[in-house]
Amino acid sequence: AVVSAGKGLGTMASPAIDQVQLSRQLYVMGMEAQTRMAQSDVLVVGMGGVGVEIAKNLALMGVKGVAIHDPTPARWADLASNFYLSEADAEAGTPRASACLPKLAELNSSVRVRLHTGGLGATDVSRFAVVVGCCLPLADQLALNAACRSAGSAFVLAEAMGALGVVFCDFGSSFVVRDPTGEEPVVRVVTAVTSEADGVVTVHPSERHGLSPGDAVTFDGIQGMTELNGCPPRRVTSVLDGHRFRIGDTSGFAPFRPGNGHVKQVVQPLTVSFEPLDVSLERPTFVATDFAKTSRLAGTHALWRGLHAFRGRDGGAGRLPAAWDIGEAEEVLALAEGEGCGGSGASTFQASAPEGCAPPPPDAPLSREAATCLACASSATLSPMCSVVGAMAASEALKACSGKFTPISQWMYLEASEALPPAGALTPADCAARGDRYDGQRRAVGSAVQEQLCHSSWFVVGAGAIGCEALKTLAMMGVAAPIPGSGPASSSSSSGAAAAAVDSSTAAGSAGAKAGRVVVTDMDSIEKSNLSRQFLFRAADIGLPKSATAAAATSAMNPLIRVEAMETRVAADTEDVFDEAFWRGLDGVVTALDNVEARLYVDNRCVQFGKPMLESGTLGTKGHVQVVLPGSSVSYGSTSDPAEVSVPVCTLKSFPSKIEHTIQWARDWFEGEFAQAAEAANAFAADSAFLATIAGTPTRVETLERVVGVFASASAAAPAQPSAAAAAAGASAASPLSPVARACAAWAREQFESLFNHRIAQLCHTFPADATNDDGLPFWSGTKRRPRPLAFDLADPLHRTFVASAVRLRAAMLGTEVQTDTEESVDALAAAAAATTVAPFVAKDEQIARDDEELAAMQEAKGDGGDGGVAAGLEARLPAFGAAKGRHFAVIAFEKDDDLHASLLAAASNLRARNYGIEELDVMQTRRIAGRIIPAIATTTALVVGLVGLELLKLAQTQLARRGPAVAGRVRTKPITDHRDAFVNVALPVLTVTEPMECPATTVRLPAGAKYVPPGLSADAVDVSVAREWRVTMWDAVDLKGPMTMQELLDWAEEQFGMEVDSVNIEMATLYNATMASMPMRAAVTRQRASMTIPKVYEAVTGTPLPAQPSVQLLVTLAPPEEDDDGEEEEEGPELPVVTYWMSPEELDELRAASATKAEA
């Protein structure tokens, strides 16, 4: 069988793609793949938690149609994972597919969602490009796969059995992957190619080539060795290093000469062969997900088959093992070890280590204990696992539709036994059904953990794509959603609920116990582009606040959840809202943010208050999860990505070599002409001292040119009094344009001439074609491309677009609207621009900087900005615009989602690219780069949030265990080795999980008599009369309550730590330094500041008050002891953990008053 991507397309016309709604997704999939998806129908069989997740993702991502099939009546256990089933559905036993249909149909009006009520034979499935079998008995999966093979349809198996997930793919014997990775092809500047039997290509040292053996490349612009230009793709035979690789025989080619040649990677299709399910069952191939568990894959596969063998006993589709029934779990293991399931007898599973002995090594086979736990929980439905499996399966279905990205070959297991309680911790009675929506999850974790979740408090920061998925996951898991009448189970951290958001309302029947809360905050409103992945929103919600809308949708999924929506930014200036009580009342934080700065702030607060943080993010097909565990792991801020490499100014101004350079240049020009120019003109009109203010600045001439340009346009646009003859004749037949349109068209033509002709001609004059560098090599080589001036062409579409877009925006800045929505209006504007008289180019003896170092030297030589004569001439023109000086001009900043803005910026960028022979880019891709838009798809988001949910399940067990065995029973604290960070790339496909990094620790030796007792220890357990060691990590924190004077701080530190203070700092401000304080000349200042409170000392040192925030962090370093243990003097003293100084109400009031006074000033 051969499966074709987009099967069943027939001869239908290409569907219309909503490029606004799908904009972020199109940056990942591309228009070609999206079109094939929009022509493909998919059948999803089985509408449990996995099936509804798959159908949701397919609908969001815009396939042609989704058919769903499942006549199974809804049960209470389904509500733990199927977010489109309700209590009423469970009570009435509504067929699952019928119940889910209306809500799935709301997700995307372009996708037809319907019930499939027919059979599942080859004829029935032949109309579908892909069929996904979800959580079906193995016999049914085998039959469905056989039908798909016969019909030529792709087949995906998806199943979640408690903490065990599996995805299997069969796309036929010969499936063509058009784009295996989805990455942008590599393009690099070539600096050398050798002539030999296996030629070596060297690329410019500014960038690594990024190629691997077997990659295909071609060339353009090569000088000398022109045989390479446009050659058929040549394979990279080997990679020598990051800048050199071999491409085979070049011995017969002409010698290479330095120039502007490029090597370009060529994406090559990949043909993949799949085995049918019945064959692959016996000889499986696996995609590893946890490299610490690669040796467990065979055992996991056997266990999965054993579970199906148990389910299919007596030839029927029976049940899975009862929850935590050890006897039935042992039956499953016995079946898995048999030949019928591919087991290898007693060696299938690693024997568990006796209690007190070291556990088996990570590379050991699946342990009997883990296998037992997985079997015991296999009947459970865990929403996070359903999200992971559903996202992966939907990704595979979309690959079959589009032919884009590499499919799974052929089995992928996610075995999360570490998310379950240990074997023997639960009994069947602990997991017994109660006839409520958590029955499915209770089977995995027991009633005590479920109660812990129901009464916990979590903070979701952000209500975008990740935030929506996180809220859904929390609702399904029952976080802050107790069953009415259930007993209180709030943990110690949530019992003091935050006053600002976690109020004192009580759960019904909880006799005064405070219930948990989910608090979600987001300042943004819903836009149409959100709808392709932020699945809690609908078209009718556009313009509404994200947080409130998401909270309402979450409550509809689980009416029990206590969720509060806010529209407040989480930052230093809102610490009066998200205050100490708020943070201390949380059990944890889920970040759903799109910028590093906000992540770092939330991370810092989590460290300060000792709260776990579940951090995740996505970038197209890639995603990550980081678990931040108080006291044990590093935090988000402990590591950082490499700093973004900035583009040299001279590259942007004169020597672009990439389209990214021309886009940045165009954005700078846009901001200068439509935002900064208007701001400067308004400032000149309003401030009589404006000219004096800019005098001496390096940008004086540039600013004056913009001001003069704005007022010149405004003056030219003002209609003059018509003569009597003109009034009688009416509008001029030669020019039907308004004065504003004519003035703006003239300005646009002058801009064109200056930007794309005169400046380029001057650059070519300053550096002629035969120019050389100081080393004698050609100047125009490597990354320096010699440009060519452009002549304005009335018939060129790009020239016309530039003029029409520039005119509309210039007129808008002047407060007028010019229409360009008809071809006739664009014709008239282009003709007016062409008719504008422009000065011819005159070459100047002008110095142009070759690099930023030379540019800095030139600017320094100018001193106050130079060009005094030019500036004086511009200032002399300003009085002539007196009539226009009273006007106010609109400041137009670039907005990435504004089509007019994107059109002009793309036109300007592509005209400059045409100057330099750089490949041009369409408006959509230009918008992405200029607006720094993050590509995103629904499947990656759902996948990472599912992994976040598994970590939250582990944290709930830890929080329960810390309440003591009387409540937790045998549920244990999860060590750091049970948690998982993750990296995913669904394009490859890769899902890799690893243990979090442990936080580093230092040891502080406290001398005898030091009274400090570290957190977690009782005073009775510490003998302060003897010297002792204190293991300090980033999680250790010290709190001080104000008001406290500097002397009181010094005395406190010496009493607590037995050492004098060496220094006290707040960021870069030194409030106290022992060496300076001991100087006689500083005695008066030292005495004065000793009696001042910490905020007053800061103000005295810096001359400005502290921000009006409830707390400030101090960096306190202790003086070294006179001698160490070896009798030698120590050079440095220990640094205390972060000391948080909490303002007293009086101190905070004073800071607020000072802040208000400063704002008024």
Side-chain angles (χ1 to χ4, degrees):
V2 177
V3 176
S4 299
K7 172 184 172 290
L9 308 187
T11 57
M12 64 176 290
S14 296
I17 304 296
D18 189 332
Q19 295 191 36
V20 177
Q21 180 165 324
L22 298 176
S23 60
R24 276 47 173 178
Q25 179 175 309
L26 286 168
Y27 295 131
V28 182
M29 303 303 301
M31 187 60 73
E32 182 182 351
Q34 187 66 51
T35 300
R36 286 195 291 269
M37 286 161 49
Q39 296 173 332
S40 301
D41 284 306
V42 182
L43 172 62
V44 181
V45 182
M47 289 303 293
V50 172
V52 74
E53 184 70 39
I54 294 169
K56 177 259 288 183
N57 290 329
L58 294 174
L60 288 173
M61 292 192 64
V63 297
K64 177 187 175 185
V66 178
I68 56 177
H69 174 86
D70 192 347
T72 308
R75 304 165 302 162
W76 282 107
D78 293 325
L79 271 62
S81 59
N82 189 319
F83 41 87
Y84 285 155
L85 293 179
S86 67
E87 286 86 347
D89 295 322
E91 290 174 350
T94 309
R96 294 193 298 193
S98 300
C100 294
L101 178 65
K103 295 172 184 175
L104 286 169
E106 295 175 355
L107 290 170
N108 190 339
S109 60
S110 300
V111 176
R112 182 189 177 204
V113 182
R114 61 184 178 85
L115 290 178
H116 176 78
T117 56
L120 297 174
T123 302
D124 304 298
V125 302
S126 61
R127 73 190 72 174
F128 300 103
V130 191
V131 178
V132 187
C134 305
C135 305
L136 305 177
L138 183 55
D140 292 351
Q141 298 279 29
L142 287 164
L144 194 56
N145 176 241
C148 290
R149 274 266 165 172
S150 178
S153 300
F155 171 76
V156 178
L157 177 154
E159 185 160 29
M161 291 176 159
L164 177 63
V166 59
V167 177
F168 166 83
C169 293
D170 174 16
F171 295 175
S173 58
S174 182
F175 179 79
V176 177
V177 182
R178 293 176 171 87
D179 183 354
T181 69
E183 299 293 337
E184 287 292 324
V186 169
V187 179
R188 296 290 184 265
V189 174
V190 176
T191 58
V193 184
T194 63
S195 295
E196 55 181 307
D198 197 1
V200 176
V201 178
T202 303
V203 301
H204 195 272
S206 61
E207 289 185 304
R208 301 173 70 88
H209 57 67
L211 297 169
S212 301
D215 286 344
V217 295
T218 189
F219 299 82
D220 69 13
I222 299 296
Q223 296 185 26
M225 196 178 286
T226 56
E227 296 90 340
L228 290 176
N229 292 329
C231 66
R234 298 175 68 99
R235 294 287 178 183
V236 175
T237 59
S238 63
V239 170
L240 301 179
D241 54 38
H243 297 96
R244 296 179 304 151
F245 58 91
R246 294 186 181 273
I247 58 168
D249 191 5
T250 56
S251 58
F253 295 169
F256 175 88
R257 293 203 316 270
N260 299 124
H262 290 80
V263 57
K264 297 182 177 182
Q265 184 182 16
V266 181
V267 176
Q268 296 287 286
L270 175 69
T271 300
V272 184
S273 178
F274 295 84
E275 298 280 10
L277 178 58
D278 58 346
V279 175
S280 189
L281 272 173
E282 304 301 331
R283 50 179 194 230
T285 56
F286 302 112
V287 174
T289 58
D290 187 336
F291 289 107
K293 297 180 179 179
T294 53
S295 59
R296 302 186 188 186
L297 289 171
T300 304
H301 184 64
L303 176 65
W304 180 78
R305 294 186 66 182
L307 287 166
H308 274 283
F310 182 97
R311 185 181 189 183
R313 290 178 304 180
D314 303 324
R319 63 175 178 81
L320 289 163
W324 293 96
D325 185 318
I326 300 297
E328 291 195 347
E330 290 292 342
E331 291 183 47
V332 170
L333 269 61
L335 290 168
E337 290 170 338
E339 292 184 5
C341 293
S344 53
S347 63
T348 302
F349 305 113
Q350 172 79 23
S352 300
E355 191 169 348
C357 296
D363 58 352
L366 181 65
S367 71
R368 290 194 69 83
E369 180 180 358
T372 300
C373 289
L374 291 168
C376 283
S378 61
S379 64
T381 54
L382 295 177
S383 174
M385 183 59 77
C386 291
S387 292
V388 173
V389 172
M392 286 301 301
S395 294
E396 298 309 299
L398 293 169
K399 293 173 186 177
C401 293
S402 66
K404 185 159 187 172
F405 307 138
T406 303
I408 291 173
S409 180
Q410 286 188 255
W411 296 86
M412 177 180 279
Y413 281 98
L414 182 67
E415 178 262 289
S417 56
E418 65 279 351
L420 299 171
L426 301 177
T427 66
D430 296 324
C431 311
R434 298 184 179 184
D436 63 43
R437 64 181 304 120
Y438 307 128
D439 278 352
Q441 181 167 274
R442 194 177 284 112
R443 294 174 184 173
V445 297
S447 58
V449 174
Q450 186 59 57
E451 287 294 309
Q452 175 69 31
L453 288 164
C454 286
H455 293 271
S456 59
S457 293
W458 281 77
F459 187 22
V460 180
V461 190
I466 288 177
C468 285
E469 288 287 342
L471 289 170
K472 176 259 289 183
T473 300
L474 297 182
M476 293 299 97
M477 295 176 69
V479 172
I483 298 293
S486 64
S490 56
S491 69
S492 58
S493 63
S494 62
S495 62
V502 186
D503 67 25
S504 59
S505 300
T506 60
S510 293
K514 293 178 180 178
R517 275 289 190 274
V518 170
V519 181
V520 57
T521 189
D522 196 306
M523 299 184 300
D524 291 343
S525 298
I526 298 164
E527 300 174 356
K528 187 175 182 181
S529 62
N530 301 148
L531 302 182
S532 66
R533 62 205 183 281
Q534 299 176 22
F535 84 108
L536 298 183
F537 308 142
R538 303 291 179 267
D541 300 325
I542 293 173
L544 297 178
K546 283 188 175 182
S547 57
T549 308
T554 304
S555 294
M557 290 179 175
N558 183 351
L560 301 175
I561 192 168
R562 303 170 62 85
V563 58
E564 178 172 339
M566 304 179 72
E567 297 176 47
T568 307
R569 185 167 67 110
V570 185
D573 58 2
T574 58
E575 289 183 5
D576 57 335
V577 178
F578 303 110
D579 57 12
E580 180 183 9
F582 174 84
W583 286 97
R584 295 200 187 283
L586 296 174
D587 288 291
V589 178
V590 175
T591 54
L593 295 160
D594 60 1
N595 67 88
V596 172
E597 181 182 3
R599 284 184 169 107
L600 287 171
Y601 176 79
V602 174
D603 175 69
N604 182 62
R605 297 294 271 179
C606 287
V607 172
Q608 181 179 356
F609 292 103
K611 300 300 177 183
M613 185 177 86
L614 301 177
E615 151 62 18
S616 62
T618 68
L619 179 64
T621 62
K622 304 180 185 72
H624 76 271
V625 174
Q626 182 180 359
V627 190
V628 178
L629 301 170
S632 56
S633 79
V634 298
S635 74
Y636 176 80
S638 299
T639 58
S640 59
D641 294 329
E644 185 175 345
V645 179
S646 60
V647 181
V649 174
C650 284
T651 298
L652 296 178
K653 289 174 65 73
S654 304
F655 308 114
S657 60
K658 300 178 179 180
I659 194 65
E660 290 83 358
H661 300 159
T662 69
I663 291 172
Q664 183 59 56
W665 172 90
R667 175 153 185 179
D668 292 345
W669 169 79
F670 186 105
E671 297 289 354
E673 293 301 329
F674 299 103
Q676 295 168 13
E679 289 172 344
N682 290 334
F684 169 71
D687 184 2
S688 59
F690 175 76
L691 295 180
T693 301
I694 66 171
T697 62
T699 58
R700 178 188 181 193
V701 170
E702 185 179 17
T703 301
L704 285 171
E705 286 175 340
R706 287 172 175 164
V707 172
V708 169
V710 171
F711 281 109
S713 293
S715 298
Q721 294 296 324
S723 65
S732 169
S735 178
L737 297 174
S738 68
V740 172
R742 284 198 302 271
C744 293
W747 173 84
R749 173 62 193 283
E750 290 165 355
Q751 286 289 304
F752 183 99
E753 210 69 19
S754 171
L755 298 172
F756 310 116
N757 184 284
H758 288 15
R759 294 186 189 180
I760 301 300
Q762 180 62 50
L763 185 64
C764 293
H765 171 77
T766 302
F767 301 109
D770 58 354
T772 59
N773 291 318
D774 294 339
D775 55 10
L777 293 176
F779 178 82
W780 296 109
S781 63
T783 58
K784 286 187 171 68
R785 295 167 172 256
R786 190 166 193 267
R788 62 179 182 85
L790 301 181
F792 184 78
D793 183 353
L794 183 63
D796 191 306
L798 187 59
H799 297 200
R800 292 161 59 86
T801 298
F802 175 82
V803 167
S805 301
V807 166
R808 278 190 64 186
L809 277 169
R810 188 71 169 185
M813 188 179 75
L814 299 177
T816 308
E817 184 176 358
V818 173
Q819 294 296 328
T820 58
D821 53 356
T822 65
E823 193 66 29
E824 291 76 12
S825 61
V826 174
D827 287 343
L829 290 172
T836 299
T837 301
V838 293
F841 169 71
V842 177
K844 304 173 185 176
D845 185 15
E846 180 180 331
Q847 183 182 4
I848 297 176
R850 303 173 182 228
D851 52 41
D852 280 10
E853 185 178 349
E854 187 174 342
L855 177 64
M858 290 168 57
Q859 290 175 337
E860 185 177 353
K862 279 187 176 181
D864 64 352
D867 297 322
V870 175
L874 291 167
E875 290 181 1
R877 295 180 58 186
L878 292 173
F881 305 129
K885 191 173 180 180
R887 298 183 58 173
H888 181 82
F889 304 100
V891 177
I892 303 175
F894 176 73
E895 171 50 54
K896 62 181 181 295
D897 289 321
D898 188 299
D899 290 342
L900 178 60
H901 293 197
S903 175
L904 177 58
L905 195 141
S909 169
N910 285 334
L911 286 167
R912 188 162 175 84
R914 196 172 290 182
N915 279 137
Y916 285 86
I918 298 170
E919 188 172 350
E920 298 169 25
L921 210 57
D922 62 27
V923 175
M924 187 178 80
Q925 292 297 335
T926 301
R927 189 199 304 262
R928 174 181 65 83
I929 296 171
R932 295 176 177 267
I933 294 174
I934 300 174
I937 53 176
T939 49
T940 311
T941 304
L943 176 54
V944 299
V945 175
L947 296 170
V948 164
L950 290 174
E951 298 309 307
L952 193 150
L953 201 61
K954 301 170 189 177
L955 287 169
Q957 294 172 63
T958 293
Q959 290 163 353
L960 176 66
R962 287 175 177 168
R963 297 171 57 204
V967 178
R970 295 189 63 189
V971 174
R972 296 201 297 256
T973 297
K974 292 289 184 184
I976 189 173
T977 52
D978 276 354
H979 286 275
R980 296 291 183 268
D981 290 345
F983 170 77
V984 304
N985 186 341
V986 297
L988 297 182
V990 169
L991 195 170
T992 303
V993 297
T994 59
E995 295 176 7
M997 292 176 58
E998 289 193 49
C999 60
T1002 58
T1003 299
V1004 174
R1005 186 167 179 80
L1006 298 177
K1011 296 182 178 180
Y1012 183 73
V1013 178
L1017 297 178
S1018 67
D1020 296 337
V1022 178
D1023 184 359
V1024 300
S1025 65
V1026 297
R1028 59 200 184 278
E1029 291 186 344
W1030 173 25
R1031 184 179 180 273
V1032 181
T1033 73
M1034 57 179 288
W1035 291 98
D1036 290 286
V1038 179
D1039 287 347
L1040 294 178
K1041 298 291 185 181
M1044 179 178 279
T1045 66
M1046 177 58 71
Q1047 187 59 54
E1048 289 171 338
L1049 171 62
L1050 301 178
D1051 294 342
W1052 165 84
E1054 185 172 0
E1055 177 186 41
Q1056 291 291 310
F1057 305 105
M1059 289 173 271
E1060 295 182 351
V1061 173
D1062 185 61
S1063 63
V1064 179
N1065 286 65
I1066 295 179
E1067 295 182 343
M1068 300 301 293
T1070 300
L1071 275 61
Y1072 175 82
N1073 180 280
T1075 302
M1076 297 287 290
S1078 65
M1079 294 179 178
M1081 67 183 69
R1082 301 279 299 177
V1085 173
T1086 300
R1087 285 195 302 272
Q1088 180 186 22
R1089 292 181 180 173
S1091 61
M1092 297 167 63
T1093 62
I1094 300 302
K1096 291 296 185 182
V1097 174
Y1098 179 88
E1099 185 173 1
V1101 170
T1102 65
T1104 183
L1106 279 167
Q1109 296 165 5
S1111 66
V1112 66
Q1113 293 185 342
L1114 309 179
L1115 180 62
V1116 179
T1117 302
L1118 301 176
E1122 294 183 0
E1123 294 182 350
D1124 62 14
D1125 292 341
D1126 298 325
E1128 298 180 1
E1129 289 191 9
E1130 295 211 24
E1131 296 181 1
E1132 295 183 356
E1135 183 179 295
L1136 290 183
V1138 172
V1139 176
T1140 301
Y1141 181 90
W1142 293 95
M1143 306 293 172
S1144 67
E1146 295 77 17
E1147 287 174 313
L1148 191 54
D1149 287 343
E1150 287 184 14
L1151 292 176
R1152 286 170 177 160
S1155 177
T1157 302
K1158 184 178 179 181
E1160 290 176 4

